[in-house]
């Protein structure tokens, strides 16, 4: 029974009770004070006429003051009950009739879609990715209000229980491309088990919160199990470990000797304080700067006048030797790490993953956590200056904030920056909406759990689309562009029209990377294009 039904029942029961009470009182008053006894039904008729303001019958007027006062009181009660019914019953009823209601099933002809079971912040990133690839999806949301809100915002959503066979059948799971279970560990395993009951062959991807429970997701039948916090921890640690040496680390290979890499500029690098045009990157290394993140905001192509600082991350393409040269330029002049120069704040799952990566890379570190645990060096509060001093923040080169609450991360960033203005701060964000606040607090690099895990889900689902996802906000894709056949890159003017950069052309098994404005595009060529989600979508619309 919903709120409106409960209110209606209580109102009706109360109204009947008041009418019956007034009927007995009126019958008594007419007998004792007016000396005009009435039948019970006659007294009930008078009370109902009074409450509904439809008349008073033949009993008016009354001779005694007691009955006059009683009738006045009955009049007021009736008016109050009528006005009470408006906000309590009628207005909510009208609102319910007017509000948008999410459907409970999808169209019969929907196929090849992704079924997303419950909606989370990482689901929002996933939906953005799917829309950029023009892949249909449906969110199965068990909470009615959440489903209605999502439907109001334009999401493809149905109100159904993803743990029930009926709910997944209403989402047409049997004709779907894949299912994503994105709730708690227990609910996710239940969803996967239900999906196997509906369709044994559908591809299922389950998100695991606790890594030690991954086996149970697999036993339930999940084809792929993703651990978002582990992914985030490795990404954050990579910003430190790539600074230990000039070794390139993770990159995306496009040809035999041509890669795409994401290179953060470290504090202390000679590039800090220069503009992209004056940095000498292109002249000194020969790499192509596809785009850059400036305080978490991706620009492609970046402005030549954009100033580089410790929060800038470059997205570049080139040969391995060219990228190694640029890697050396992005590092601090002092590259040796000593004990205590890296501080990890927070030793939960993300923090433990970070420490594991730092240990593997031979980077010494000190750990601060609120609770006493094995390997924790200092027990204290990340927002207390004294505790941060005890762990050595005021002398550290890098501080990694791996806290689960964004408000704590924001405050800790302010304190760390105050204690050590020159320290490099790498921070985790739980929600994408808080990334910019953490940057404003003083962080050099911020990575959102929702963004990383959402993109990882998209990359897993869209594997046959040959999508290469970077950490955030950018896609690198291979795609045909027959609409450009017979033109040159200069004539196509792709950068200004879409914001994307063509970084390679694959033709008959060969990869062309020396791309000038005179390079012609032929039918059947595959272009390797980098840009934002919107830019890649625009590229496909214009040239696909």
């Amino acid at each position: 029974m919903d709120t409106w039904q409960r209110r209606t029942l209580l109102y009706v029961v109360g109204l009947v009770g008041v009418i019956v009470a007034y009927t007995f009182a009126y019958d008594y008053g007419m007998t004792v004070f007016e000396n005009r006894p009435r039948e019970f039904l006659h007294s009930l008729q008078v009370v109902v006429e009074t409450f509904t303001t439809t008349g008073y019958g033949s009993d008016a007027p009354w001779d005694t003051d007691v009955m006059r006062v009683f009738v006045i009181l009955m009049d007021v009660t009736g008016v109050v009950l009528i006005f009470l019914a408006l906000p309590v019953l009628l207005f909510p009823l009208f609102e319910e009739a007017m509000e948008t209601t999410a459907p409970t099933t999808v169209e019969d002809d929907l196929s090849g879609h992704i079924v997303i079971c419950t909606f989370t912040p990482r689901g929002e990133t996933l939906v953005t990715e799917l829309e950029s690839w023009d892949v249909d999806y449906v969110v199965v949301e068990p909470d009615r209000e959440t489903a209605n809100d999502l439907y109001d915002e334009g999401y493809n959503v149905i109100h159904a229980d993803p743990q029930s066979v009926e709910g997944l059948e209403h989402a047409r799971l049997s004709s779907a491309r894949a299912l994503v279970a994105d709730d708690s560990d227990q609910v996710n395993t239940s969803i996967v088990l239900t999906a196997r009951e509906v369709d044994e062959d559908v591809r299922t991807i389950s998100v695991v919160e606790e890594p030690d429970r991954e086996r149970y997701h697999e036993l339930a039948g999940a084809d792929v199990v993703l651990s978002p916090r582990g992914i985030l921890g490795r990404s954050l640690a990579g910003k430190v470990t790539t600074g230990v040496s000039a070794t390139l680390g993770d990159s995306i290979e496009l040809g035999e000797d041509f890669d795409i890499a994401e290179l953060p500029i470290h504090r202390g690098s000679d590039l800090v304080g220069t503009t992209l045009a004056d940095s000498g990157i292109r002249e000194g290394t020969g790499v192509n700067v596809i785009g850059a993140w400036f305080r978490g905001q991706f620009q492609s192509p970046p402005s030549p006048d954009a100033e580089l600082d410790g929060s800038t991350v470059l997205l570049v393409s080139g040969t391995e030797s060219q990228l190694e040269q640029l890697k050396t330029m992005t590092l601090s002049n002092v590259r040796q790490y000593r004990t205590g120069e890296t501080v990890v704040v927070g030793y939960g799952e993300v923090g433990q993953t970070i420490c594991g990566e730092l240990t593997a890379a031979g980077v010494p570190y000190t750990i601060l956590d609120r609770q006493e645990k094995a390997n924790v060096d200092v027990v204290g509060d990340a927002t207390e200056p004294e505790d941060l001093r005890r762990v050595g923040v005021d002398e550290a080169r890098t501080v990694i904030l791996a806290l689960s609450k964004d408000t704590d991360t924001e405050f800790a960033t302010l304190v760390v920056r105050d204690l050590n203005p020159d320290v490099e701060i790498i921070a985790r964000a739980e929600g994408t909406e808080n990334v910019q606040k953490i940057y404003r607090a003083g962080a050099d690099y911020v990575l959102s759990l929702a963004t990383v895990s959402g993109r990882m889900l998209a990359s897993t689902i869209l594997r046959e689309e040959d999508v290469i996802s970077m950490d955030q906000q950018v896609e690198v894709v291979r795609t045909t562009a027959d609409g450009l056949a017979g033109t040159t890159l200069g004539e196509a003017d792709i950068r200004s029209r879409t914001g994307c950069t063509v970084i390679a052309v694959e033709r008959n098994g060969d990869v062309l990377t020396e791309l000038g404005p005179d390079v012609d595009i032929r039918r059947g060529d595959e272009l390797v294009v980098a840009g934002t989600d919107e830019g890649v979508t625009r590229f496909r619309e214009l040239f696909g």
Side-chain angles (χ1 to χ4, degrees):
M1 185 180 295
D2 60 25
T3 303
W4 184 83
Q5 290 173 324
R6 285 196 302 271
R7 286 178 179 175
T8 302
L9 180 60
L10 290 173
Y11 178 82
V12 170
V13 171
L15 180 62
V16 170
V18 171
I19 290 175
V20 171
Y22 268 107
T23 299
F24 280 111
Y26 183 80
D27 186 67
Y28 176 81
M30 290 299 290
T31 302
V32 175
F33 300 107
E34 293 287 327
N35 197 24
R36 288 188 286 167
R38 294 289 187 264
E39 294 179 357
F40 180 81
L41 284 179
H42 181 88
S43 298
L44 177 61
Q45 177 188 349
V46 172
V47 173
V48 170
E49 288 175 344
T50 303
F51 275 28
T52 57
T53 67
T54 56
Y56 299 103
S58 60
D59 282 359
W62 292 270
D63 299 325
T64 63
D65 291 340
V66 173
M67 286 304 295
R68 293 189 184 103
V69 171
F70 177 81
V71 171
I72 292 172
L73 180 62
M74 192 162 55
D75 288 339
V76 172
T77 303
V79 172
V80 169
L81 287 174
I82 289 173
F83 280 103
L84 183 64
L86 293 176
V88 173
L89 300 179
L90 297 182
F91 292 168
L93 183 61
F94 288 144
E95 289 175 3
E96 187 173 318
M98 295 296 291
E99 73 178 4
T100 307
T101 303
T104 57
T105 186
V106 298
E107 296 87 353
D108 292 338
D109 60 345
L110 183 65
S111 63
H113 56 291
I114 309 300
V115 178
I116 304 171
C117 295
T118 77
F119 192 77
T120 66
R122 57 179 157 255
E124 186 176 358
T125 302
L126 172 59
V127 166
T128 302
E129 292 287 313
L130 296 177
E131 288 178 340
S132 73
W133 279 91
D134 200 25
V135 174
D136 290 329
Y137 71 91
V138 59
V139 177
V140 182
E141 177 54 54
D143 182 77
R144 182 187 298 274
E145 289 187 11
T146 302
N148 290 343
D149 289 343
L150 291 173
Y151 188 70
D152 245 357
E153 293 171 19
Y155 288 96
N156 298 323
V157 60
I158 63 171
H159 172 232
D161 182 4
Q163 299 180 66
S164 70
V165 170
E166 183 183 26
L168 294 184
E169 286 178 342
H170 284 176
R172 291 186 56 81
L173 181 65
S174 296
S175 61
R177 179 172 175 173
L179 173 141
V180 176
D182 189 12
D183 206 295
S184 67
D185 286 336
Q186 291 87 342
V187 172
N188 284 349
T189 54
S190 176
I191 292 171
V192 172
L193 288 168
T194 307
R196 288 287 171 243
E197 188 175 344
V198 175
D199 188 335
E200 190 68 34
D201 299 323
V202 70
R203 188 163 179 250
T204 56
I205 301 160
S206 187
V207 178
V208 59
E209 295 295 332
E210 302 292 337
D212 57 353
R213 296 181 176 179
E214 182 174 336
R215 172 172 170 74
Y216 305 115
H217 291 247
E218 294 171 347
L219 289 174
D223 296 300
V224 180
V225 182
L226 294 180
S227 177
R229 289 181 173 82
I231 298 167
L232 178 65
R234 288 189 291 273
S235 298
L236 290 172
K239 304 310 169 189
V240 177
T241 57
T242 53
V244 178
S245 69
T247 302
L248 190 59
D250 291 336
S251 61
I252 299 173
E253 186 176 337
L254 295 179
E256 188 172 336
D257 188 30
F258 189 74
D259 303 323
I260 299 173
E262 178 189 359
L263 300 178
I265 296 176
H266 292 261
R267 281 178 174 256
S269 165
D270 291 336
L271 294 176
V272 173
T274 66
T275 63
L276 195 59
D278 297 334
S279 64
I281 291 176
R282 177 67 178 174
E283 298 79 6
T285 66
V287 302
N288 182 23
V289 179
I290 303 167
W293 287 270
F294 297 96
R295 303 186 72 79
Q297 295 297 312
F298 184 71
Q299 294 182 19
S300 178
S303 168
D305 298 326
E307 185 173 332
L308 308 177
D309 59 25
S311 68
T312 304
V313 181
L314 301 175
L315 182 63
V316 293
S317 63
T319 65
E320 185 174 349
S321 60
Q322 291 173 333
L323 295 176
E324 292 287 0
Q325 278 185 280
L326 177 59
K327 180 64 190 175
T328 303
M329 294 174 65
T330 64
L331 297 176
S332 169
N333 292 324
V334 182
R335 297 207 326 250
Q336 280 297 324
Y337 279 79
R338 298 186 298 274
T339 301
E341 286 198 353
T342 298
V343 174
V344 179
V345 180
Y347 197 59
E349 183 188 333
V350 175
Q352 291 173 25
T353 303
I354 291 169
C355 292
E357 295 290 315
L358 296 179
T359 299
V363 178
Y365 53 86
T366 308
I367 303 171
L368 169 70
D369 193 82
R370 191 186 296 269
Q371 299 178 353
E372 190 170 349
K373 305 176 185 176
N375 301 324
V376 172
D377 300 291
V378 176
V379 177
D381 190 337
T383 62
E384 289 294 332
E386 286 305 316
D387 291 338
L388 290 171
R389 285 194 183 96
R390 284 167 51 213
V391 81
V393 163
D394 48 357
E395 297 178 355
R397 251 191 64 189
T398 304
V399 174
I400 307 178
L401 298 175
L403 304 171
S404 59
K405 293 183 179 179
D406 288 347
T407 50
D408 289 344
T409 301
E410 293 161 12
F411 198 90
T413 301
L414 294 167
V415 177
V416 170
R417 181 60 69 210
D418 183 55
L419 293 175
N420 188 344
D422 298 321
V423 72
E424 182 176 46
I425 301 176
I426 299 169
R428 158 198 178 176
E430 192 73 14
T432 308
E433 69 278 4
N434 296 320
V435 168
Q436 286 306 310
K437 287 197 287 184
I438 298 172
Y439 269 117
R440 283 195 294 271
D444 295 297
Y445 186 83
V446 185
L447 205 51
S448 162
L449 176 63
T451 298
V452 171
S453 53
R455 284 190 172 273
M456 184 58 67
L457 280 169
S459 181
T460 303
I461 293 169
L462 301 174
R463 59 184 182 178
E464 62 268 38
E465 298 285 358
D466 202 13
V467 58
I468 308 170
S469 291
M470 310 301 279
D471 274 348
Q472 49 180 336
Q473 297 174 323
V474 65
E475 298 283 9
V476 181
V477 299
R478 290 180 179 89
T479 182
T480 57
D482 290 341
L484 291 173
T487 65
T488 65
L489 287 177
E491 292 169 344
D493 197 18
I494 293 170
R495 268 205 174 192
S496 62
R497 295 174 68 183
T498 68
C500 294
T501 302
V502 178
I503 54 181
V505 176
E506 295 185 3
R507 178 180 298 162
N508 300 324
D510 296 326
V511 180
L512 310 178
T513 58
E514 295 295 328
L515 302 179
D518 297 330
V519 171
D520 63 313
I521 302 171
R522 303 174 187 174
R523 187 169 296 277
D525 285 350
E526 281 200 333
L527 306 187
V528 181
V529 180
T532 61
D533 293 334
E534 294 81 3
V536 171
T537 300
R538 202 155 48 240
F539 179 89
R540 287 201 190 91
E541 290 173 349
L542 289 174
F543 310 122

